[in-house]
Amino acid sequence: MAMNVLVAAGSTEPTPVLDAARGALEAGHHTVTMLDLAAEGFGQFMSADERRAYHDADNLVTPETRASATLLRSHDALLVCTSLVQGAIDPLAKSWFERVFIPEVSFTFTPSGRVTGALTNIKRVGMIVSCPDGTAEAKPRLASTRSVLRGVRMNASKRCRTTYLPIGPSEDIDDRVTAALARW
């Protein structure tokens, strides 16, 4: 079944992963929308105004967060392409998650205070992580990126499926990405 896939480019360094992901998804007859987080203004973390408005009904205080929220709500799938930077998720991706995955966008609170996912339109989520120092050596640090993927999954449809792919510098990117996204 063809999906509308939002591909978030969340890496400060250019990476061939994006081209491979787009090619694999389009070969699967999916519609792909590319979101360049650097070009959209996610180079900085949450501002003081965004922190103050976090729990407000109108908490999307910048044009870039409003545009990203609209994109998230209008797609069936989300694929985040990022990298490890000094052992942690790239700051671009971290900033985007921090500023867009907020109350009333990705989750809501029930009257009893329970958290409920609000991105029920998302049926598939994935994360491709470029590991510049090698996959095996970076394995302990990859736990943080897996946690981010689990958090996104909890905000999506109850039957949402996930794909997680760490890629080391010596691995064949095209083959690994194509194989990982073949079942999308």
Side-chain angles (χ1 to χ4, degrees):
M1 178 168 94
M3 296 183 288
N4 291 321
V5 183
L6 177 62
V7 177
S11 186
T12 51
E13 297 295 321
T15 175
V17 168
L18 289 171
D19 293 333
R22 178 181 223 152
L25 291 168
E26 288 176 345
H29 305 289
H30 301 295
T31 304
V32 177
T33 303
M34 300 299 286
L35 177 64
D36 182 345
L37 300 181
E40 293 295 318
F42 286 98
Q44 58 274 355
F45 293 107
M46 190 180 280
S47 69
D49 289 340
E50 288 171 311
R51 289 188 192 287
R52 277 191 290 277
Y54 186 82
H55 287 289
D56 295 347
D58 188 22
N59 55 4
L60 295 167
V61 299
T62 64
E64 61 267 18
T65 57
R66 284 191 291 274
S68 280
T70 299
L71 284 171
L72 278 171
R73 292 174 178 145
S74 65
H75 284 78
D76 306 316
L78 170 65
L79 178 64
V80 178
C81 298
T82 189
S83 59
L84 287 180
V85 176
Q86 297 178 355
I89 192 170
D90 192 288
L92 273 176
K94 185 177 185 312
S95 172
W96 184 64
F97 284 123
E98 178 182 82
R99 295 174 61 201
V100 177
F101 283 69
I102 59 177
E104 305 305 321
V105 176
S106 68
F107 63 93
T108 60
F109 294 101
T110 65
S112 65
R114 185 175 174 193
V115 176
T116 304
L119 292 173
T120 56
N121 55 298
I122 303 285
K123 309 292 189 253
R124 188 80 187 217
V125 295
M127 184 175 282
I128 300 175
V129 182
S130 298
C131 305
D133 58 351
T135 306
E137 298 83 9
K139 218 170 200 131
R141 295 180 298 241
L142 288 171
S144 65
T145 56
R146 283 186 187 267
S147 295
V148 170
L149 183 62
R150 278 193 296 274
V152 172
R153 166 45 192 101
M154 290 178 6
N155 293 304
S157 168
K158 289 184 182 190
R159 296 179 192 244
C160 181
R161 296 178 61 199
T162 61
T163 299
Y164 181 77
L165 179 63
I167 297 181
S170 62
E171 297 180 77
D172 186 329
I173 293 170
D174 287 329
D175 287 347
R176 295 276 326 271
V177 170
T178 300
L181 300 179
R183 291 172 275 178
W184 275 48

